[in-house]
Amino acid sequence: YLVRDKDNFIEPQWTKTEEWNVLKLAIVKDEQKINLVAKQTGVPARLIVAMLVGEQMRLYNSEREIFKKAFAPLRILGVQSQFSWGVMGMKEETAKKVEVNLKDKESAFYLGAKYEAMLDYPEGGDISANRFGRLVNEKDHYYAYLYTALYLKQLMTQWEKSGYNISQRPEILATLFNLGFDKSVPKSNPQVGGAEIEISGRKYSFGTLAYEFYYSGELVEYFPW
């Protein structure tokens, strides 16, 4: 991968598709929530959106009937509620791990006291039900973005503690985001990968798709570098 700058945008082929033209309108609806989470966590909004693009382009292209009947006409993001949850497709075990890492001072993913209470639940409630409600809320995607940002920050922290800075490697962060905590092993030569996503007959990895969005000119007026 070549490092890109604002005068040398990538122009991915998939940005010419109907799916992307629908998706970018849906993403812009959440501009305020995404930028709020970015401010609260210190994770760039564009990096959060890169994960969202990977997950939603996968969903838009794999669920064709739903895309035609709902996503496209309503310009909405797909919210999953079975094996993976919400607009970011986060698995329950991943969400739990994000929560645990915020409290565990011995964890390589620990972010510091400032973040410990960021995902606290009200006392006396059903934590599992509340977690599900947070992530699959169709009307408010705030928590989906918050969990995503904290997950990314935990991954960056783990690697930084091992001497590797991946904060400017959206393709690696997206790969790890997609594969899970267990696959996050800091090293000098991480590989791009993740789930395979087919768009208009061409196959991309989750990490590649996130990279191409991040270094494209798409939505820079809302989520700048």
Side-chain angles (χ1 to χ4, degrees):
Y1 290 102
L2 299 176
V3 174
R4 303 287 174 162
D5 59 47
K6 63 180 182 297
D7 298 317
N8 187 22
F9 291 129
I10 291 174
E11 293 187 36
Q13 293 181 3
W14 53 264
T15 61
K16 313 302 181 187
T17 65
E18 179 189 7
E19 290 81 11
W20 174 244
N21 286 327
V22 170
L23 178 55
K24 64 183 179 181
L25 295 176
I27 292 173
V28 169
K29 291 180 181 180
D30 276 355
E31 175 194 4
Q32 291 185 342
K33 290 285 171 64
I34 294 169
N35 280 312
L36 172 61
V37 167
K39 183 177 180 180
Q40 291 173 330
T41 62
V43 175
R46 192 165 185 83
L47 190 58
I48 298 169
V49 176
M51 308 303 120
L52 179 63
V53 168
E55 186 57 34
Q56 291 292 315
M57 285 297 280
R58 182 197 64 76
L59 194 62
Y60 275 26
N61 282 273
S62 63
E63 301 291 342
R64 297 303 303 164
E65 288 303 313
I66 300 177
F67 174 79
K68 293 176 183 178
K69 292 179 179 179
F71 300 156
L74 298 176
R75 304 294 193 267
I76 59 174
L77 299 173
V79 178
Q80 302 173 77
S81 60
Q82 294 184 328
F83 303 109
S84 298
W85 292 353
V87 296
M88 303 302 300
M90 183 170 286
K91 289 181 169 57
E92 181 181 18
E93 57 265 31
T94 301
K96 287 181 179 179
K97 184 70 172 176
V98 171
E99 295 168 4
V100 169
N101 288 337
L102 292 180
K103 305 285 190 181
D104 184 1
K105 293 180 174 62
E106 302 303 316
S107 171
F109 300 100
Y110 179 69
L111 301 179
K114 176 182 176 181
Y115 299 92
E116 284 188 9
M118 196 164 277
L119 293 177
D120 280 1
Y121 293 94
E123 291 186 12
D126 183 329
I127 291 178
S128 294
N130 284 335
R131 182 183 299 114
F132 181 78
R134 284 176 170 183
L135 291 172
V136 303
N137 191 326
E138 294 184 3
K139 296 180 179 180
D140 186 351
H141 306 142
Y142 168 77
Y143 272 108
Y145 301 133
L146 182 58
Y147 274 82
T148 292
L150 291 171
Y151 183 12
L152 292 171
K153 195 172 187 73
Q154 289 175 2
L155 292 170
M156 286 186 276
T157 297
Q158 179 209 21
W159 283 63
E160 186 175 354
K161 288 177 179 177
S162 295
Y164 304 105
N165 185 346
I166 57 172
S167 63
Q168 302 298 316
R169 299 292 302 276
E171 72 282 12
I172 301 305
L173 284 165
T175 299
L176 298 173
F177 176 86
N178 183 240
L179 294 178
F181 280 110
D182 291 344
K183 300 296 183 181
S184 184
V185 181
K187 52 191 168 186
S188 61
N189 61 336
Q191 301 299 305
V192 182
E196 186 176 84
I197 303 168
E198 184 169 336
I199 304 173
S200 299
R202 182 176 177 181
K203 295 179 179 179
Y204 302 80
S205 71
F206 193 97
T208 298
L209 200 60
Y211 173 89
E212 291 194 356
F213 164 76
Y214 190 89
Y215 286 113
S216 75
E218 297 294 323
L219 301 181
V220 289
E221 64 270 39
Y222 303 101
F223 310 106
W225 292 346

